[in-house]
Amino acid sequence: METISTNRSFSGTQGVYSHASSMTGTDMAFAVYVPDHAQDAKLPVVWYLSGLTCTHANVMEKGEYRRLASELGLIIVAPDTSPRGEGVPDDPSYDMGQGAGFYVDATQEPWNDHFQMRSYIEQELPALIADNFPADMERQGIFGHSMGGHGALTIALRNPDRFKSASAFSPIVAPIECPWGKKALGRYLGEDQAAWRDYDACALIEDGARFPDLLVDQGAGDDFLEEQLKPQLLVDACEKASIPLTLNIQDGYDHSYFFISTFMEDHLRWHAERL
């Protein structure tokens, strides 16, 4: 692991690091914020997964999480959204390729050699965090935004024994039912929609996945609300499965980091209570 930068912030250390990933076959960058802590202490870990076109830097620079993470004693881990670099396939559109990994393990060419983001987030990067940071891996939570909200919900639903808390800002709750998801899942995984269900929060719940409770914040002024995000589908799935869901529709807020930073405190407190 290589240290790219470290900065002092709110009685903690904001670092950016990189490593050679065996899962993606590329160098991967990620950000970790570690509050000051007693020697030999282990702190709970909250993962933040970013959305389309983003890197680790978006939430690090605009998410405004450090003050409260320091107060609550939470390590915040922000991975990249896809493999990158020379030889990694890409697409001219913003919603495919580099910056748009959708947190799946691709099975279709040309994506399958590098786009193994599910395995990277679920297996490889947690091992690296456990080895290099004062992380209590028995206390993990996960949240994210848009495509990252989709990633957070699906990863939590697939791994309820690993994650004790899960939340999302403006998540893509049913990729099978929206243009972003149909395009990405079709090209990464092929046309058999049965293979898509592991990457759709509503489908996972319909197929038996369970989680203790979920928190979602959604801006009422979000341009993507009706066509891409469809939070009512998650409401319906959770009601049928008796999964407690707190859905907050926030009047006047859009899809941006102005929205995310406004409600970041609510989400971090939600995770801290459960960790």
Side-chain angles (χ1 to χ4, degrees):
M1 189 181 75
E2 177 187 351
T3 299
I4 297 174
S5 65
T6 57
N7 295 94
R8 187 84 176 139
S9 181
F10 289 102
S11 300
T13 301
Q14 177 65 70
V16 178
Y17 308 91
S18 70
H19 72 115
S21 167
S22 60
M23 293 294 185
T24 69
T26 66
D27 289 343
M28 296 291 291
F30 61 97
V32 181
Y33 178 74
V34 181
D36 290 351
H37 54 281
Q39 187 175 6
D40 298 327
K42 295 286 189 180
L43 305 181
V45 180
V46 182
W47 297 78
Y48 179 90
L49 305 184
S50 292
L52 289 167
T53 76
C54 292
T55 71
H56 66 278
N58 294 76
V59 72
M60 186 180 76
E61 295 171 357
K62 298 183 287 187
E64 301 183 22
Y65 56 81
R66 279 174 287 271
R67 177 190 60 80
L68 197 66
S70 182
E71 175 188 322
L72 298 172
L74 300 174
I75 293 174
I76 308 296
V77 179
D80 202 348
T81 55
S82 79
R84 302 176 190 271
E86 185 177 352
V88 177
D90 202 5
D91 191 277
S93 60
Y94 74 96
D95 53 359
M96 274 296 300
Q98 296 186 37
F102 268 84
Y103 304 101
V104 306
D105 280 353
T107 59
Q108 304 299 300
E109 294 182 347
W111 313 105
N112 54 328
D113 282 347
H114 298 291
F115 281 71
Q116 301 295 310
M117 290 301 295
R118 171 181 177 173
S119 293
Y120 177 71
I121 298 296
E122 291 185 359
Q123 300 174 35
E124 185 175 18
L125 190 54
L128 194 72
I129 297 299
D131 287 345
N132 291 278
F133 297 93
D136 183 351
M137 304 305 280
E138 297 300 315
R139 292 186 290 162
Q140 294 187 69
I142 190 166
F143 68 147
H145 171 234
S146 194
M147 178 186 74
H150 138 78
L153 294 177
T154 56
I155 289 170
L157 287 163
R158 289 194 305 262
N159 299 277
D161 55 335
R162 180 180 302 180
F163 295 97
K164 298 182 182 301
S165 58
S167 70
F169 300 102
S170 315
I172 306 170
V173 303
I176 292 174
E177 305 294 338
C178 77
W180 278 339
K182 290 177 181 178
K183 177 179 179 179
L185 298 183
R187 293 180 65 184
Y188 289 139
L189 303 175
E191 294 306 314
D192 181 6
Q193 292 197 11
W196 302 7
R197 296 184 70 81
D198 258 4
Y199 300 104
D200 182 300
C202 293
L204 282 165
I205 292 169
E206 290 170 7
D207 292 345
R210 296 293 181 264
F211 205 79
D213 54 5
L214 300 170
L215 169 66
V216 171
D217 272 84
Q218 171 65 60
D222 191 321
D223 290 340
F224 302 112
L225 177 58
E226 298 300 328
E227 183 179 28
Q228 304 282 11
L229 306 178
K230 303 178 184 290
Q232 186 59 44
L233 295 178
L234 183 63
V235 172
D236 295 341
C238 286
E239 285 181 352
K240 290 178 183 177
S242 299
I243 296 174
L245 168 66
T246 301
L247 172 63
N248 300 315
I249 303 296
Q250 305 291 1
D251 288 341
Y253 287 91
D254 57 18
H255 200 69
S256 72
Y257 270 86
F258 295 106
F259 160 65
I260 295 167
S261 61
T262 300
F263 299 101
M264 179 63 74
E265 179 171 350
D266 295 346
H267 283 246
L268 291 181
R269 291 195 183 280
W270 170 277
H271 289 278
E273 288 171 2
R274 287 153 180 79
L275 298 177

mmCIF file with all atom_site columns, all heavy atoms in Angstrom, residues 30-55:
data_model
loop_
_atom_site.group_PDB
_atom_site.id
_atom_site.type_symbol
_atom_site.label_atom_id
_atom_site.label_alt_id
_atom_site.label_comp_id
_atom_site.label_asym_id
_atom_site.label_entity_id
_atom_site.label_seq_id
_atom_site.pdbx_PDB_ins_code
_atom_site.Cartn_x
_atom_site.Cartn_y
_atom_site.Cartn_z
_atom_site.occupancy
_atom_site.B_iso_or_equiv
_atom_site.pdbx_formal_charge
_atom_site.auth_seq_id
_atom_site.auth_comp_id
_atom_site.auth_asym_id
_atom_site.auth_atom_id
_atom_site.pdbx_PDB_model_num
ATOM 1   N N   . PHE A 1 30 ? -7.970  4.887  -2.818  1.00 0.00 ? 30 PHE A N   1
ATOM 2   C CA  . PHE A 1 30 ? -9.074  4.958  -1.861  1.00 0.00 ? 30 PHE A CA  1
ATOM 3   C C   . PHE A 1 30 ? -8.706  5.938  -0.761  1.00 0.00 ? 30 PHE A C   1
ATOM 4   O O   . PHE A 1 30 ? -7.527  6.234  -0.534  1.00 0.00 ? 30 PHE A O   1
ATOM 5   C CB  . PHE A 1 30 ? -9.400  3.580  -1.278  1.00 0.00 ? 30 PHE A CB  1
ATOM 6   C CG  . PHE A 1 30 ? -8.271  2.931  -0.521  1.00 0.00 ? 30 PHE A CG  1
ATOM 7   C CD1 . PHE A 1 30 ? -8.183  3.021  0.861   1.00 0.00 ? 30 PHE A CD1 1
ATOM 8   C CD2 . PHE A 1 30 ? -7.283  2.223  -1.203  1.00 0.00 ? 30 PHE A CD2 1
ATOM 9   C CE1 . PHE A 1 30 ? -7.143  2.411  1.551   1.00 0.00 ? 30 PHE A CE1 1
ATOM 10  C CE2 . PHE A 1 30 ? -6.237  1.617  -0.517  1.00 0.00 ? 30 PHE A CE2 1
ATOM 11  C CZ  . PHE A 1 30 ? -6.167  1.717  0.860   1.00 0.00 ? 30 PHE A CZ  1
ATOM 12  N N   . ALA A 1 31 ? -9.724  6.455  -0.088  1.00 0.00 ? 31 ALA A N   1
ATOM 13  C CA  . ALA A 1 31 ? -9.527  7.406  1.002   1.00 0.00 ? 31 ALA A CA  1
ATOM 14  C C   . ALA A 1 31 ? -9.961  6.778  2.319   1.00 0.00 ? 31 ALA A C   1
ATOM 15  O O   . ALA A 1 31 ? -10.939 6.025  2.361   1.00 0.00 ? 31 ALA A O   1
ATOM 16  C CB  . ALA A 1 31 ? -10.321 8.683  0.759   1.00 0.00 ? 31 ALA A CB  1
ATOM 17  N N   . VAL A 1 32 ? -9.229  7.096  3.392   1.00 0.00 ? 32 VAL A N   1
ATOM 18  C CA  . VAL A 1 32 ? -9.577  6.621  4.732   1.00 0.00 ? 32 VAL A CA  1
ATOM 19  C C   . VAL A 1 32 ? -9.403  7.774  5.717   1.00 0.00 ? 32 VAL A C   1
ATOM 20  O O   . VAL A 1 32 ? -8.334  8.397  5.759   1.00 0.00 ? 32 VAL A O   1
ATOM 21  C CB  . VAL A 1 32 ? -8.693  5.434  5.179   1.00 0.00 ? 32 VAL A CB  1
ATOM 22  C CG1 . VAL A 1 32 ? -9.119  4.953  6.566   1.00 0.00 ? 32 VAL A CG1 1
ATOM 23  C CG2 . VAL A 1 32 ? -8.757  4.292  4.175   1.00 0.00 ? 32 VAL A CG2 1
ATOM 24  N N   . TYR A 1 33 ? -10.450 8.040  6.496   1.00 0.00 ? 33 TYR A N   1
ATOM 25  C CA  . TYR A 1 33 ? -10.350 9.006  7.596   1.00 0.00 ? 33 TYR A CA  1
ATOM 26  C C   . TYR A 1 33 ? -10.316 8.234  8.907   1.00 0.00 ? 33 TYR A C   1
ATOM 27  O O   . TYR A 1 33 ? -11.186 7.391  9.175   1.00 0.00 ? 33 TYR A O   1
ATOM 28  C CB  . TYR A 1 33 ? -11.538 9.972  7.602   1.00 0.00 ? 33 TYR A CB  1
ATOM 29  C CG  . TYR A 1 33 ? -11.473 10.950 8.750   1.00 0.00 ? 33 TYR A CG  1
ATOM 30  C CD1 . TYR A 1 33 ? -10.558 12.000 8.731   1.00 0.00 ? 33 TYR A CD1 1
ATOM 31  C CD2 . TYR A 1 33 ? -12.293 10.808 9.862   1.00 0.00 ? 33 TYR A CD2 1
ATOM 32  C CE1 . TYR A 1 33 ? -10.467 12.895 9.799   1.00 0.00 ? 33 TYR A CE1 1
ATOM 33  C CE2 . TYR A 1 33 ? -12.222 11.703 10.928  1.00 0.00 ? 33 TYR A CE2 1
ATOM 34  C CZ  . TYR A 1 33 ? -11.298 12.738 10.894  1.00 0.00 ? 33 TYR A CZ  1
ATOM 35  O OH  . TYR A 1 33 ? -11.212 13.614 11.947  1.00 0.00 ? 33 TYR A OH  1
ATOM 36  N N   . VAL A 1 34 ? -9.303  8.522  9.728   1.00 0.00 ? 34 VAL A N   1
ATOM 37  C CA  . VAL A 1 34 ? -9.139  7.854  11.017  1.00 0.00 ? 34 VAL A CA  1
ATOM 38  C C   . VAL A 1 34 ? -9.119  8.902  12.123  1.00 0.00 ? 34 VAL A C   1
ATOM 39  O O   . VAL A 1 34 ? -8.194  9.718  12.197  1.00 0.00 ? 34 VAL A O   1
ATOM 40  C CB  . VAL A 1 34 ? -7.843  7.027  11.069  1.00 0.00 ? 34 VAL A CB  1
ATOM 41  C CG1 . VAL A 1 34 ? -7.718  6.335  12.423  1.00 0.00 ? 34 VAL A CG1 1
ATOM 42  C CG2 . VAL A 1 34 ? -7.812  5.999  9.940   1.00 0.00 ? 34 VAL A CG2 1
ATOM 43  N N   . PRO A 1 35 ? -10.112 8.910  13.008  1.00 0.00 ? 35 PRO A N   1
ATOM 44  C CA  . PRO A 1 35 ? -10.076 9.833  14.156  1.00 0.00 ? 35 PRO A CA  1
ATOM 45  C C   . PRO A 1 35 ? -8.947  9.478  15.109  1.00 0.00 ? 35 PRO A C   1
ATOM 46  O O   . PRO A 1 35 ? -8.493  8.320  15.154  1.00 0.00 ? 35 PRO A O   1
ATOM 47  C CB  . PRO A 1 35 ? -11.433 9.609  14.834  1.00 0.00 ? 35 PRO A CB  1
ATOM 48  C CG  . PRO A 1 35 ? -12.284 8.899  13.831  1.00 0.00 ? 35 PRO A CG  1
ATOM 49  C CD  . PRO A 1 35 ? -11.336 8.113  12.980  1.00 0.00 ? 35 PRO A CD  1
ATOM 50  N N   . ASP A 1 36 ? -8.490  10.467 15.859  1.00 0.00 ? 36 ASP A N   1
ATOM 51  C CA  . ASP A 1 36 ? -7.556  10.173 16.931  1.00 0.00 ? 36 ASP A CA  1
ATOM 52  C C   . ASP A 1 36 ? -8.190  9.179  17.898  1.00 0.00 ? 36 ASP A C   1
ATOM 53  O O   . ASP A 1 36 ? -9.407  9.204  18.129  1.00 0.00 ? 36 ASP A O   1
ATOM 54  C CB  . ASP A 1 36 ? -7.194  11.449 17.687  1.00 0.00 ? 36 ASP A CB  1
ATOM 55  C CG  . ASP A 1 36 ? -6.322  12.384 16.850  1.00 0.00 ? 36 ASP A CG  1
ATOM 56  O OD1 . ASP A 1 36 ? -5.875  11.970 15.763  1.00 0.00 ? 36 ASP A OD1 1
ATOM 57  O OD2 . ASP A 1 36 ? -6.107  13.528 17.293  1.00 0.00 ? 36 ASP A OD2 1
ATOM 58  N N   . HIS A 1 37 ? -7.364  8.301  18.474  1.00 0.00 ? 37 HIS A N   1
ATOM 59  C CA  . HIS A 1 37 ? -7.895  7.232  19.310  1.00 0.00 ? 37 HIS A CA  1
ATOM 60  C C   . HIS A 1 37 ? -6.812  6.762  20.273  1.00 0.00 ? 37 HIS A C   1
ATOM 61  O O   . HIS A 1 37 ? -5.628  7.029  20.082  1.00 0.00 ? 37 HIS A O   1
ATOM 62  C CB  . HIS A 1 37 ? -8.357  6.064  18.436  1.00 0.00 ? 37 HIS A CB  1
ATOM 63  C CG  . HIS A 1 37 ? -7.283  5.565  17.512  1.00 0.00 ? 37 HIS A CG  1
ATOM 64  N ND1 . HIS A 1 37 ? -6.962  6.203  16.336  1.00 0.00 ? 37 HIS A ND1 1
ATOM 65  C CD2 . HIS A 1 37 ? -6.439  4.506  17.600  1.00 0.00 ? 37 HIS A CD2 1
ATOM 66  C CE1 . HIS A 1 37 ? -5.984  5.566  15.731  1.00 0.00 ? 37 HIS A CE1 1
ATOM 67  N NE2 . HIS A 1 37 ? -5.641  4.541  16.483  1.00 0.00 ? 37 HIS A NE2 1
ATOM 68  N N   . ALA A 1 38 ? -7.243  6.068  21.285  1.00 0.00 ? 38 ALA A N   1
ATOM 69  C CA  . ALA A 1 38 ? -6.301  5.516  22.250  1.00 0.00 ? 38 ALA A CA  1
ATOM 70  C C   . ALA A 1 38 ? -5.441  4.454  21.582  1.00 0.00 ? 38 ALA A C   1
ATOM 71  O O   . ALA A 1 38 ? -5.868  3.776  20.649  1.00 0.00 ? 38 ALA A O   1
ATOM 72  C CB  . ALA A 1 38 ? -7.052  4.911  23.432  1.00 0.00 ? 38 ALA A CB  1
ATOM 73  N N   . GLN A 1 39 ? -4.215  4.335  22.068  1.00 0.00 ? 39 GLN A N   1
ATOM 74  C CA  . GLN A 1 39 ? -3.316  3.316  21.532  1.00 0.00 ? 39 GLN A CA  1
ATOM 75  C C   . GLN A 1 39 ? -3.944  1.941  21.675  1.00 0.00 ? 39 GLN A C   1
ATOM 76  O O   . GLN A 1 39 ? -4.534  1.603  22.702  1.00 0.00 ? 39 GLN A O   1
ATOM 77  C CB  . GLN A 1 39 ? -1.978  3.360  22.275  1.00 0.00 ? 39 GLN A CB  1
ATOM 78  C CG  . GLN A 1 39 ? -0.909  2.464  21.679  1.00 0.00 ? 39 GLN A CG  1
ATOM 79  C CD  . GLN A 1 39 ? 0.432   2.631  22.369  1.00 0.00 ? 39 GLN A CD  1
ATOM 80  O OE1 . GLN A 1 39 ? 0.546   3.341  23.372  1.00 0.00 ? 39 GLN A OE1 1
ATOM 81  N NE2 . GLN A 1 39 ? 1.463   1.995  21.834  1.00 0.00 ? 39 GLN A NE2 1
ATOM 82  N N   . ASP A 1 40 ? -3.867  1.160  20.618  1.00 0.00 ? 40 ASP A N   1
ATOM 83  C CA  . ASP A 1 40 ? -4.407  -0.203 20.548  1.00 0.00 ? 40 ASP A CA  1
ATOM 84  C C   . ASP A 1 40 ? -5.928  -0.247 20.459  1.00 0.00 ? 40 ASP A C   1
ATOM 85  O O   . ASP A 1 40 ? -6.511  -1.347 20.460  1.00 0.00 ? 40 ASP A O   1
ATOM 86  C CB  . ASP A 1 40 ? -3.955  -1.053 21.749  1.00 0.00 ? 40 ASP A CB  1
ATOM 87  C CG  . ASP A 1 40 ? -2.443  -1.209 21.801  1.00 0.00 ? 40 ASP A CG  1
ATOM 88  O OD1 . ASP A 1 40 ? -1.816  -1.252 20.718  1.00 0.00 ? 40 ASP A OD1 1
ATOM 89  O OD2 . ASP A 1 40 ? -1.890  -1.271 22.912  1.00 0.00 ? 40 ASP A OD2 1
ATOM 90  N N   . ALA A 1 41 ? -6.591  0.905  20.380  1.00 0.00 ? 41 ALA A N   1
ATOM 91  C CA  . ALA A 1 41 ? -8.049  0.905  20.212  1.00 0.00 ? 41 ALA A CA  1
ATOM 92  C C   . ALA A 1 41 ? -8.410  0.486  18.794  1.00 0.00 ? 41 ALA A C   1
ATOM 93  O O   . ALA A 1 41 ? -7.665  0.729  17.839  1.00 0.00 ? 41 ALA A O   1
ATOM 94  C CB  . ALA A 1 41 ? -8.618  2.289  20.500  1.00 0.00 ? 41 ALA A CB  1
ATOM 95  N N   . LYS A 1 42 ? -9.555  -0.150 18.668  1.00 0.00 ? 42 LYS A N   1
ATOM 96  C CA  . LYS A 1 42 ? -10.115 -0.509 17.373  1.00 0.00 ? 42 LYS A CA  1
ATOM 97  C C   . LYS A 1 42 ? -11.424 0.257  17.187  1.00 0.00 ? 42 LYS A C   1
ATOM 98  O O   . LYS A 1 42 ? -12.282 0.248  18.078  1.00 0.00 ? 42 LYS A O   1
ATOM 99  C CB  . LYS A 1 42 ? -10.377 -2.015 17.287  1.00 0.00 ? 42 LYS A CB  1
ATOM 100 C CG  . LYS A 1 42 ? -9.115  -2.872 17.347  1.00 0.00 ? 42 LYS A CG  1
ATOM 101 C CD  . LYS A 1 42 ? -8.334  -2.788 16.048  1.00 0.00 ? 42 LYS A CD  1
ATOM 102 C CE  . LYS A 1 42 ? -7.202  -3.800 16.025  1.00 0.00 ? 42 LYS A CE  1
ATOM 103 N NZ  . LYS A 1 42 ? -6.426  -3.746 14.766  1.00 0.00 ? 42 LYS A NZ  1
ATOM 104 N N   . LEU A 1 43 ? -11.561 0.891  16.029  1.00 0.00 ? 43 LEU A N   1
ATOM 105 C CA  . LEU A 1 43 ? -12.716 1.748  15.767  1.00 0.00 ? 43 LEU A CA  1
ATOM 106 C C   . LEU A 1 43 ? -13.641 1.107  14.735  1.00 0.00 ? 43 LEU A C   1
ATOM 107 O O   . LEU A 1 43 ? -13.187 0.413  13.813  1.00 0.00 ? 43 LEU A O   1
ATOM 108 C CB  . LEU A 1 43 ? -12.260 3.105  15.239  1.00 0.00 ? 43 LEU A CB  1
ATOM 109 C CG  . LEU A 1 43 ? -11.260 3.884  16.086  1.00 0.00 ? 43 LEU A CG  1
ATOM 110 C CD1 . LEU A 1 43 ? -10.941 5.217  15.427  1.00 0.00 ? 43 LEU A CD1 1
ATOM 111 C CD2 . LEU A 1 43 ? -11.783 4.084  17.494  1.00 0.00 ? 43 LEU A CD2 1
ATOM 112 N N   . PRO A 1 44 ? -14.961 1.343  14.864  1.00 0.00 ? 44 PRO A N   1
ATOM 113 C CA  . PRO A 1 44 ? -15.880 0.850  13.839  1.00 0.00 ? 44 PRO A CA  1
ATOM 114 C C   . PRO A 1 44 ? -15.622 1.519  12.497  1.00 0.00 ? 44 PRO A C   1
ATOM 115 O O   . PRO A 1 44 ? -15.099 2.642  12.434  1.00 0.00 ? 44 PRO A O   1
ATOM 116 C CB  . PRO A 1 44 ? -17.264 1.210  14.394  1.00 0.00 ? 44 PRO A CB  1
ATOM 117 C CG  . PRO A 1 44 ? -17.022 2.278  15.405  1.00 0.00 ? 44 PRO A CG  1
ATOM 118 C CD  . PRO A 1 44 ? -15.652 2.040  15.954  1.00 0.00 ? 44 PRO A CD  1
ATOM 119 N N   . VAL A 1 45 ? -15.998 0.821  11.439  1.00 0.00 ? 45 VAL A N   1
ATOM 120 C CA  . VAL A 1 45 ? -15.717 1.251  10.068  1.00 0.00 ? 45 VAL A CA  1
ATOM 121 C C   . VAL A 1 45 ? -17.026 1.481  9.331   1.00 0.00 ? 45 VAL A C   1
ATOM 122 O O   . VAL A 1 45 ? -17.916 0.624  9.349   1.00 0.00 ? 45 VAL A O   1
ATOM 123 C CB  . VAL A 1 45 ? -14.907 0.174  9.315   1.00 0.00 ? 45 VAL A CB  1
ATOM 124 C CG1 . VAL A 1 45 ? -14.613 0.625  7.887   1.00 0.00 ? 45 VAL A CG1 1
ATOM 125 C CG2 . VAL A 1 45 ? -13.628 -0.158 10.058  1.00 0.00 ? 45 VAL A CG2 1
ATOM 126 N N   . VAL A 1 46 ? -17.137 2.634  8.662   1.00 0.00 ? 46 VAL A N   1
ATOM 127 C CA  . VAL A 1 46 ? -18.281 2.904  7.789   1.00 0.00 ? 46 VAL A CA  1
ATOM 128 C C   . VAL A 1 46 ? -17.758 3.120  6.373   1.00 0.00 ? 46 VAL A C   1
ATOM 129 O O   . VAL A 1 46 ? -16.909 3.991  6.140   1.00 0.00 ? 46 VAL A O   1
ATOM 130 C CB  . VAL A 1 46 ? -19.091 4.121  8.264   1.00 0.00 ? 46 VAL A CB  1
ATOM 131 C CG1 . VAL A 1 46 ? -20.299 4.328  7.350   1.00 0.00 ? 46 VAL A CG1 1
ATOM 132 C CG2 . VAL A 1 46 ? -19.550 3.940  9.703   1.00 0.00 ? 46 VAL A CG2 1
ATOM 133 N N   . TRP A 1 47 ? -18.252 2.329  5.442   1.00 0.00 ? 47 TRP A N   1
ATOM 134 C CA  . TRP A 1 47 ? -17.887 2.423  4.036   1.00 0.00 ? 47 TRP A CA  1
ATOM 135 C C   . TRP A 1 47 ? -18.829 3.373  3.325   1.00 0.00 ? 47 TRP A C   1
ATOM 136 O O   . TRP A 1 47 ? -20.046 3.301  3.509   1.00 0.00 ? 47 TRP A O   1
ATOM 137 C CB  . TRP A 1 47 ? -17.987 1.044  3.379   1.00 0.00 ? 47 TRP A CB  1
ATOM 138 C CG  . TRP A 1 47 ? -17.055 0.028  3.939   1.00 0.00 ? 47 TRP A CG  1
ATOM 139 C CD1 . TRP A 1 47 ? -17.198 -0.661 5.117   1.00 0.00 ? 47 TRP A CD1 1
ATOM 140 C CD2 . TRP A 1 47 ? -15.832 -0.418 3.356   1.00 0.00 ? 47 TRP A CD2 1
ATOM 141 N NE1 . TRP A 1 47 ? -16.132 -1.510 5.307   1.00 0.00 ? 47 TRP A NE1 1
ATOM 142 C CE2 . TRP A 1 47 ? -15.283 -1.383 4.236   1.00 0.00 ? 47 TRP A CE2 1
ATOM 143 C CE3 . TRP A 1 47 ? -15.159 -0.104 2.184   1.00 0.00 ? 47 TRP A CE3 1
ATOM 144 C CZ2 . TRP A 1 47 ? -14.089 -2.024 3.961   1.00 0.00 ? 47 TRP A CZ2 1
ATOM 145 C CZ3 . TRP A 1 47 ? -13.961 -0.750 1.912   1.00 0.00 ? 47 TRP A CZ3 1
ATOM 146 C CH2 . TRP A 1 47 ? -13.440 -1.694 2.802   1.00 0.00 ? 47 TRP A CH2 1
ATOM 147 N N   . TYR A 1 48 ? -18.247 4.242  2.483   1.00 0.00 ? 48 TYR A N   1
ATOM 148 C CA  . TYR A 1 48 ? -19.062 5.130  1.650   1.00 0.00 ? 48 TYR A CA  1
ATOM 149 C C   . TYR A 1 48 ? -18.764 4.843  0.182   1.00 0.00 ? 48 TYR A C   1
ATOM 150 O O   . TYR A 1 48 ? -17.607 4.948  -0.259  1.00 0.00 ? 48 TYR A O   1
ATOM 151 C CB  . TYR A 1 48 ? -18.765 6.606  1.949   1.00 0.00 ? 48 TYR A CB  1
ATOM 152 C CG  . TYR A 1 48 ? -19.574 7.540  1.071   1.00 0.00 ? 48 TYR A CG  1
ATOM 153 C CD1 . TYR A 1 48 ? -20.826 7.983  1.480   1.00 0.00 ? 48 TYR A CD1 1
ATOM 154 C CD2 . TYR A 1 48 ? -19.096 7.956  -0.173  1.00 0.00 ? 48 TYR A CD2 1
ATOM 155 C CE1 . TYR A 1 48 ? -21.591 8.820  0.666   1.00 0.00 ? 48 TYR A CE1 1
ATOM 156 C CE2 . TYR A 1 48 ? -19.854 8.775  -0.989  1.00 0.00 ? 48 TYR A CE2 1
ATOM 157 C CZ  . TYR A 1 48 ? -21.102 9.210  -0.566  1.00 0.00 ? 48 TYR A CZ  1
ATOM 158 O OH  . TYR A 1 48 ? -21.851 10.023 -1.387  1.00 0.00 ? 48 TYR A OH  1
ATOM 159 N N   . LEU A 1 49 ? -19.794 4.465  -0.577  1.00 0.00 ? 49 LEU A N   1
ATOM 160 C CA  . LEU A 1 49 ? -19.657 4.154  -1.988  1.00 0.00 ? 49 LEU A CA  1
ATOM 161 C C   . LEU A 1 49 ? -20.233 5.296  -2.825  1.00 0.00 ? 49 LEU A C   1
ATOM 162 O O   . LEU A 1 49 ? -21.387 5.681  -2.643  1.00 0.00 ? 49 LEU A O   1
ATOM 163 C CB  . LEU A 1 49 ? -20.379 2.848  -2.324  1.00 0.00 ? 49 LEU A CB  1
ATOM 164 C CG  . LEU A 1 49 ? -19.975 1.624  -1.491  1.00 0.00 ? 49 LEU A CG  1
ATOM 165 C CD1 . LEU A 1 49 ? -20.696 0.379  -2.011  1.00 0.00 ? 49 LEU A CD1 1
ATOM 166 C CD2 . LEU A 1 49 ? -18.470 1.419  -1.481  1.00 0.00 ? 49 LEU A CD2 1
ATOM 167 N N   . SER A 1 50 ? -19.435 5.803  -3.737  1.00 0.00 ? 50 SER A N   1
ATOM 168 C CA  . SER A 1 50 ? -19.824 6.971  -4.532  1.00 0.00 ? 50 SER A CA  1
ATOM 169 C C   . SER A 1 50 ? -20.599 6.578  -5.783  1.00 0.00 ? 50 SER A C   1
ATOM 170 O O   . SER A 1 50 ? -20.690 5.405  -6.148  1.00 0.00 ? 50 SER A O   1
ATOM 171 C CB  . SER A 1 50 ? -18.582 7.774  -4.921  1.00 0.00 ? 50 SER A CB  1
ATOM 172 O OG  . SER A 1 50 ? -18.004 8.369  -3.785  1.00 0.00 ? 50 SER A OG  1
ATOM 173 N N   . GLY A 1 51 ? -21.135 7.604  -6.454  1.00 0.00 ? 51 GLY A N   1
ATOM 174 C CA  . GLY A 1 51 ? -21.996 7.404  -7.606  1.00 0.00 ? 51 GLY A CA  1
ATOM 175 C C   . GLY A 1 51 ? -21.284 7.572  -8.934  1.00 0.00 ? 51 GLY A C   1
ATOM 176 O O   . GLY A 1 51 ? -20.050 7.694  -9.005  1.00 0.00 ? 51 GLY A O   1
ATOM 177 N N   . LEU A 1 52 ? -22.064 7.591  -9.994  1.00 0.00 ? 52 LEU A N   1
ATOM 178 C CA  . LEU A 1 52 ? -21.551 7.681  -11.354 1.00 0.00 ? 52 LEU A CA  1
ATOM 179 C C   . LEU A 1 52 ? -20.629 8.875  -11.529 1.00 0.00 ? 52 LEU A C   1
ATOM 180 O O   . LEU A 1 52 ? -20.923 9.972  -11.042 1.00 0.00 ? 52 LEU A O   1
ATOM 181 C CB  . LEU A 1 52 ? -22.716 7.792  -12.345 1.00 0.00 ? 52 LEU A CB  1
ATOM 182 C CG  . LEU A 1 52 ? -23.561 6.534  -12.540 1.00 0.00 ? 52 LEU A CG  1
ATOM 183 C CD1 . LEU A 1 52 ? -24.850 6.869  -13.275 1.00 0.00 ? 52 LEU A CD1 1
ATOM 184 C CD2 . LEU A 1 52 ? -22.771 5.483  -13.306 1.00 0.00 ? 52 LEU A CD2 1
ATOM 185 N N   . THR A 1 53 ? -19.545 8.661  -12.240 1.00 0.00 ? 53 THR A N   1
ATOM 186 C CA  . THR A 1 53 ? -18.505 9.639  -12.599 1.00 0.00 ? 53 THR A CA  1
ATOM 187 C C   . THR A 1 53 ? -17.584 9.989  -11.432 1.00 0.00 ? 53 THR A C   1
ATOM 188 O O   . THR A 1 53 ? -16.617 10.723 -11.633 1.00 0.00 ? 53 THR A O   1
ATOM 189 C CB  . THR A 1 53 ? -19.068 10.947 -13.190 1.00 0.00 ? 53 THR A CB  1
ATOM 190 O OG1 . THR A 1 53 ? -19.613 11.771 -12.159 1.00 0.00 ? 53 THR A OG1 1
ATOM 191 C CG2 . THR A 1 53 ? -20.114 10.683 -14.261 1.00 0.00 ? 53 THR A CG2 1
ATOM 192 N N   . CYS A 1 54 ? -17.849 9.483  -10.230 1.00 0.00 ? 54 CYS A N   1
ATOM 193 C CA  . CYS A 1 54 ? -17.101 9.914  -9.052  1.00 0.00 ? 54 CYS A CA  1
ATOM 194 C C   . CYS A 1 54 ? -15.863 9.056  -8.810  1.00 0.00 ? 54 CYS A C   1
ATOM 195 O O   . CYS A 1 54 ? -15.709 7.959  -9.338  1.00 0.00 ? 54 CYS A O   1
ATOM 196 C CB  . CYS A 1 54 ? -17.994 9.855  -7.823  1.00 0.00 ? 54 CYS A CB  1
ATOM 197 S SG  . CYS A 1 54 ? -19.329 11.071 -7.827  1.00 0.00 ? 54 CYS A SG  1
ATOM 198 N N   . THR A 1 55 ? -14.992 9.584  -7.955  1.00 0.00 ? 55 THR A N   1
ATOM 199 C CA  . THR A 1 55 ? -13.876 8.850  -7.378  1.00 0.00 ? 55 THR A CA  1
ATOM 200 C C   . THR A 1 55 ? -13.998 8.941  -5.862  1.00 0.00 ? 55 THR A C   1
ATOM 201 O O   . THR A 1 55 ? -14.984 9.468  -5.333  1.00 0.00 ? 55 THR A O   1
ATOM 202 C CB  . THR A 1 55 ? -12.527 9.447  -7.813  1.00 0.00 ? 55 THR A CB  1
ATOM 203 O OG1 . THR A 1 55 ? -12.356 10.716 -7.162  1.00 0.00 ? 55 THR A OG1 1
ATOM 204 C CG2 . THR A 1 55 ? -12.451 9.625  -9.325  1.00 0.00 ? 55 THR A CG2 1
#
